[in-house]
Amino acid sequence: MSAVSDVTPHPDRALRYAVVGMGATGVGVFVALVRSLAATGRAADAEIHIFETKERLGAGVAYSTPHDCHLLNMRAGTMSVHPDDPTHFVRWLAERVDAAGASTEADYVPRRLFAAYLQEFFEEALAQARQHGTKVITHKSVVSDCREDARGMHLIAGLDHFVFDYSFLCLGDLPSTEYLEFTKVPTYIHSMWHGAGLEVIDPDTTVGILGTSLTAVDALLQLRASGHRGAITCFSRRRSLPKVQGPRVRYTLRHVTAENLRLLTADHTRKLEFAEVAALFQSELEDGLGLAVDWERVLAEPSAMFTATLAKDIELAENSQTLWYSILDATSEVIPHVWRAMSAEARAAFMNNHLSVWSMFRHCMPLDNARRLLTMATEGAFQVTSGLTSVAYDDERQLFRIEAAPVGGERTVYDVDYLVNATGTGFALERSDSSLIQNMLMRGDISPHPLGGIDVGFEDMRVVRRDGSLSGRALYIGPLTRGVHFYTNSFETNLANAHSAVATVMARIGAA
Ligand SMILES: Cc1cc2nc3c(=O)[nH]c(=O)nc-3n(C[C@H](O)[C@H](O)[C@H](O)COP(=O)(O)OP(=O)(O)OC[C@H]3O[C@@H](n4cnc5c(N)ncnc54)[C@H](O)[C@@H]3O)c2cc1C
């Protein structure tokens, strides 16, 4: 990153802001913007335009699902929109949803409730904006381009052209950029969360699910709830089902701390190699658990006995033998800084060789979901296989042919009627179906991060252009900044980054 763009806001007229995408992150940006404008006496001189393709503002992709089997993968006590008031969501649930106050901090509630919570948070901020004289205009349209010049940020939405001083781009969990070759096949479901999803699947057909992460768990539970009767197989390259979350206990980090990072990096003057970071986490876990961990066993390829493993994981969670989860959870805040301190090679090594196992432990499933899955697995309703090697579509037989060769197992070919892509967010920008991403990428107004997604400034969220300069007016916040911030598949990281983005803009306005 080198030169900073030389654009400055116009001091003689109302400033115009665009927020593109109104999922959880867009809401975070909007609320922070409304409050900051009010706090700095700029509210009456501001105009905020919101662009969102969905009817509902605030729900986004993750929380739009109407199905009760799709739970938040974090406890209610960790999902507050007010970081300084962690029980806010739990109180909201008690007031709005269960008057008896049945929800506790430890509960995993349906994601649709979180959407309603976000929507209310958004509406409160909207009322506050109007009260302070800020003009807010919402557009139900897709933004297809965003280009910066000396006049401002030019945004194209449908046939309309707007000019803004600043654009906050919060495009969220864009569909997978893998297996695009099947998107024309009617029995292929590229994303559960976009379009008709799993509803098109005939209950007596065979289904293949690509992936074994939390999205795959969502797919299994939804198929179960809809009365699916055909065989289901989940395929992964090397990971197995997510582990099971036990009770969360307060844990104070001893090794993975900001102070240790400072010492190891000689006051942030050197980068850490993979082995150094691995050693730091190993010490934290072994020290915290009070035992020597057999890392080879923990990191081994998944066994074919997934039902037995799931049963064992449930037992451990039920007996509070999951302290490792509380230890990993305690690292959330420091993780983006650890990530930033790692060398490019160390980060690439982690992404290529360890991300899948990390995700199995870090993004593990609620106990309720695990119990439902165990019932399904015991009844033989689904199976899991690793060692996925190829996927093809047989036009003549109208079947998908999937080949898997798990370590220590036989190479097997599976024929399935329907194929569901549960591999998650698409990080390969050049293959993204977003015309906004494509247009900005083509002109070099954004640049791909070497580890996937979009490159932005770590602290200020300004997009990095192809020439390495930072945009003066475009900021990107959300899951696609994973290469920079790592832990962007969590609401709390994206909310914190939304605040940082707004602070960046406020500082620029203040300095103008
Ligand atoms: C299935 C799933 C479950 C998850 N569960 C949890 C959880 O339990 N807890 C947790 O902390 N995190 C969870 N996450 C992580 C989640 O990604 C973040 O927590 C956060 O919700 C991301 O919000 P977002 O606004 O960035 O993205 P999104 O929710 O994807 O919202 C982006 C919005 O932008 C709109 N948009 C995109 N492009 C354009 C355009 N060109 N023009 C106009 N509008 C556009 C989209 O329509 C969408 O509404 C989950 C993610 C997924 C995919």
Side-chain angles (χ1 to χ4, degrees), residues 21 23-25 52-53 60-61 63 72-73 143 171-173 193 479 489 491:
T25 306
E52 170 57 59
T53 54
V61 171
Y63 313 115
L72 285 174
N73 57 43
V143 173
L171 311 191
D173 286 298
W193 317 118
N489 51 355
F491 167 67

Side-chain angles (χ1 to χ4, degrees), residues 45-104:
D45 286 329
E47 199 173 298
I48 306 175
H49 289 241
I50 288 168
F51 296 86
E52 170 57 59
T53 54
K54 291 183 190 295
E55 204 62 59
R56 257 177 106 188
L57 300 179
V61 171
Y63 313 115
S64 288
T65 169
H67 302 285
D68 276 347
C69 60
H70 293 155
L71 302 181
L72 285 174
N73 57 43
M74 313 266 289
R75 291 180 166 79
T78 66
M79 295 293 291
S80 168
V81 292
H82 301 289
D84 52 350
D85 182 7
T87 58
H88 188 262
F89 180 46
V90 182
R91 296 201 308 278
W92 181 91
L93 284 168
E95 280 164 25
R96 306 286 196 286
V97 183
D98 42 35
S103 294
T104 70

